[in-house]
Amino acid sequence: MHIRLINPNSTASMTNQALESALRVANAATHVSAVNPTRTPVSIEGSADEALAVPDMLSEIRKGEGEGVDAYVIACFDDPGLHAAREVAKGPVIGICQAAVQVAMTISRRFSVVTTLPRSVPIIEDIVQAYGAGHHCRAVHAIDLPVLGLEEDPETAERLLIETIERAKLYDRAEAIILGCAGMSSLCDRLAKATGVPVIDGVTAALKIAEALVGAGYVTSKVNAYDFPRQKGAAPADADLPLRAANS
């Protein structure tokens, strides 16, 4: 099977890091490729960045459809454009937040999320709630470090993550921790070892879920909501004439 990891931002080093994490857990027979657009924001930090990233991300999925890709992993924790991507793709499309939440709810009763910036906290809270896990999620914490800071200052990032996970264990009584950024994936094993709590990386979780779905023969339903987008012709040149007439 061929699974494609798509990083919606344009930072190639982050794409490569996520790919390395995915390859570490992929089955030997699974071909994993990774791409990122080149015209999107260098990091996804907020709803505006998400909106700017989605069109080019969908273009990458359309390319993958032409290449026979079996499933896709959207390697951004906000799961940007996930529903739109499922309309475009025939095979499964897995968001790393949804995958991480599903794993956390399977291996623990209560979990917390650790992410990068405070502005991401309400976004992640809403996503977790939408996935039906609001009761299970104790809290979403931010280490107050930008996404690119994970690469620029990895020692500080790891220290802040360990400190925050320890607080979540103590005050949230969290039984598992989700890493709320694809850029944290390379730290997952070290953080689990340092803190003694299961630490879940959405990239590896999504890759294994994608493998399972493809292996079982499941594809995206094309009945109603996730049907392929309807083909539409260009709007006529005088499409706005009624509006102008109404305002005249």
Side-chain angles (χ1 to χ4, degrees):
M1 69 179 72
H2 182 182
I3 298 175
R4 175 153 294 168
L5 187 152
I6 301 179
N7 171 18
N9 72 45
S10 58
T11 301
S13 57
M14 193 174 299
T15 307
N16 293 333
Q17 183 238 204
L19 176 60
E20 289 177 4
S21 297
L23 290 173
R24 186 166 45 81
V25 300
N27 291 329
T30 301
H31 173 51
V32 184
S33 60
V35 297
N36 59 261
T38 59
R39 302 179 300 175
T40 56
V42 295
S43 61
I44 308 297
E45 295 171 321
S47 297
D49 287 341
E50 288 182 34
L52 291 169
V54 168
D56 283 0
M57 183 190 79
L58 296 180
S59 293
E60 292 294 343
I61 292 177
R62 291 189 180 96
K63 293 177 186 176
E65 290 297 280
E67 298 169 11
V69 173
D70 297 298
Y72 302 86
V73 170
I74 306 302
C76 173
F77 200 77
D78 292 352
D79 289 353
L82 182 59
H83 294 297
R86 287 172 175 164
E87 292 182 23
V88 173
K90 179 181 178 182
V93 182
I94 314 299
I96 65 171
C97 178
Q98 186 173 23
V101 166
Q102 289 172 338
V103 169
M105 291 178 65
T106 302
I107 68 172
S108 69
R109 291 287 294 267
R110 298 291 185 269
F111 65 87
S112 291
V113 181
V114 180
T115 190
T116 50
L117 293 175
R119 69 176 300 160
S120 297
V121 170
I123 295 173
I124 293 173
E125 288 175 339
D126 288 349
I127 296 173
V128 171
Q129 185 71 33
Y131 289 149
H135 176 68
H136 300 270
C137 183
R138 286 300 194 193
V140 181
H141 302 282
I143 61 173
D144 203 10
L145 190 70
V147 171
L148 296 182
L150 298 171
E151 291 185 357
E152 295 167 355
D153 193 353
E155 291 184 2
T156 296
E158 186 168 352
R159 175 179 58 79
L160 291 172
L161 284 165
I162 290 173
E163 292 173 356
T164 305
I165 291 170
E166 292 290 357
R167 287 197 296 271
K169 285 171 55 184
L170 178 63
Y171 298 111
D172 302 347
R173 299 177 66 85
E175 301 165 0
I177 298 294
I178 292 176
L179 299 179
C181 178
M184 298 175 178
S185 64
S186 63
L187 298 172
C188 185
D189 291 344
R190 292 208 302 274
L191 294 172
K193 184 177 181 179
T195 62
V197 65
V199 177
I200 301 163
D201 157 45
V203 173
T204 54
L207 188 282
K208 299 308 290 185
I209 289 173
E211 282 185 330
L213 292 174
V214 174
Y218 291 113
V219 295
T220 300
S221 171
K222 294 304 174 184
V223 179
N224 296 327
Y226 285 150
D227 195 5
F228 293 110
R230 292 183 60 202
Q231 298 298 315
K232 302 179 180 68
D238 59 350
D240 61 342
L241 284 180
L243 178 61
R244 290 209 303 264
N247 293 334
S248 60

